Amino acid sequence: MGLLDGKVAIVTGAGGGIGRCHALALAKEGAKVVVNDVGGDRSGSGAGKSMADTVVDEIRKMGGKAAANYDSVATMAGGKNIVKSALDAFGRLDILVNNAGILRDKTLLKMDEAMWDSVIAVHLKGTFACTHAAATAMKDQGQGGRIINTSSTSGLLGMFGQSNYGAAKAGIAGFTRVCALELVKYGITVNAVVPIAKTRMTEDLPRYANLKEGELDPAFISPVVVFLASGLGKDINGKFFLIRGPHISAMEVKTTEGVGKEGMWTPQEIAQNISKIMAW
Ligand code: NAI
């Protein structure tokens, strides 16, 4: 008995890296998996079928069921077609993992419109496009569902040289919180993982140079996705999980206790009280 027997899952960007690990882990627990990947390079250039096909073969070799989809997540038509692939191949949809992503890093003053638009399109619009199509199918099905998004410390904490990517990933965090509130009435939960893993997206970062073999393996991220996708995680909604190797933490936005007064503050009074306002 697997945790996900009878369930159907979509993993976007599942042709490599973290998404491939999610697809394998979901299949290992009995889910039938749509392996979506457009098959381009790290910056989003190019396309091909072999990345998705290879992961489909891996799942079939371990006795699982999988189907490939090669659409880009970045359009509404793509999102609809990815969901249609699940319905056509397996007749239902229970789990969506929004994982596809690209990177086009530059500091703000060197960032051009195309770098901004392409990163926002794949991450933020892609998460919206797939979620919209999937939540519609899950609502029609009437048996709830699970949506797991992918944010980043770049968006939640900030990362030099990633204003486009950080904005997209912070946008995904806001999107996750709102969808969690809206979709709960249909029995659909919406959470997000915040991964730290060595993949083609991160392998040339200087801080990844001296990792031991297997340290920050992307497979460490997937048990959290399986947990959230299964009955074990049914009561978790609108939450964020930071995963770095075998270490898992929760992340959330917090406010200080703050300071109140009668009437309106003057800027000078704010200056006098700023350390109390900002005290954690
Ligand atoms: P990766 O580059 O190995 O995987 C991304 C996958 O998405 C690729 O297989 C790519 O072909 C696919 N993809 C790109 N554009 C697509 C599109 N328009 N439609 C469908 N598929 C598309 O990188 P990695 O590290 O596995 O990233 C997975 C997710 O995790 C991304 O959302 C990334 O931003 C996020 N993430 C990764 C971190 C890390 O430390 N590796 C840190 C924080 C977030």
Side-chain angles (χ1 to χ4, degrees), residues 24 41 47 56 98 119 128 153 156 164 205 215 224 250-251 253 267 271:
L24 295 175
D41 68 15
V56 167
N98 284 306
V119 167
F128 165 66
T153 54
L156 300 177
N164 53 356
L205 291 174
E215 205 179 339
V224 175
M251 291 182 96
V253 178

Side-chain angles (χ1 to χ4, degrees), residues 179-193:
C179 291
L181 295 172
E182 291 183 3
L183 298 178
V184 71
K185 67 177 170 214
Y186 306 114
I188 302 170
T189 63
V190 189
N191 294 286
V193 289

Side-chain angles (χ1 to χ4, degrees), residues 159-178:
M159 198 81 73
F160 190 91
Q162 294 194 320
S163 58
N164 53 356
Y165 180 81
K169 290 306 203 187
I172 289 171
F175 179 77
T176 300
R177 281 186 284 263
V178 173

Side-chain angles (χ1 to χ4, degrees), residues 12-19 36-42 44 51 71-74 98-102 122-123 150-153 165 169 194-202 208:
T12 69
I18 298 170
N36 157 267
D37 208 292
V38 81
D41 68 15
R42 184 171 83 167
M51 287 180 74
D71 282 287
S72 170
V73 296
N98 284 306
N99 165 82
I102 61 169
V122 173
H123 289 276
T150 308
S151 188
S152 168
T153 54
Y165 180 81
K169 290 306 203 187
V194 182
I196 297 179
K198 186 176 177 182
T199 64
R200 73 175 189 180
M201 197 176 266
T202 51
Y208 283 60

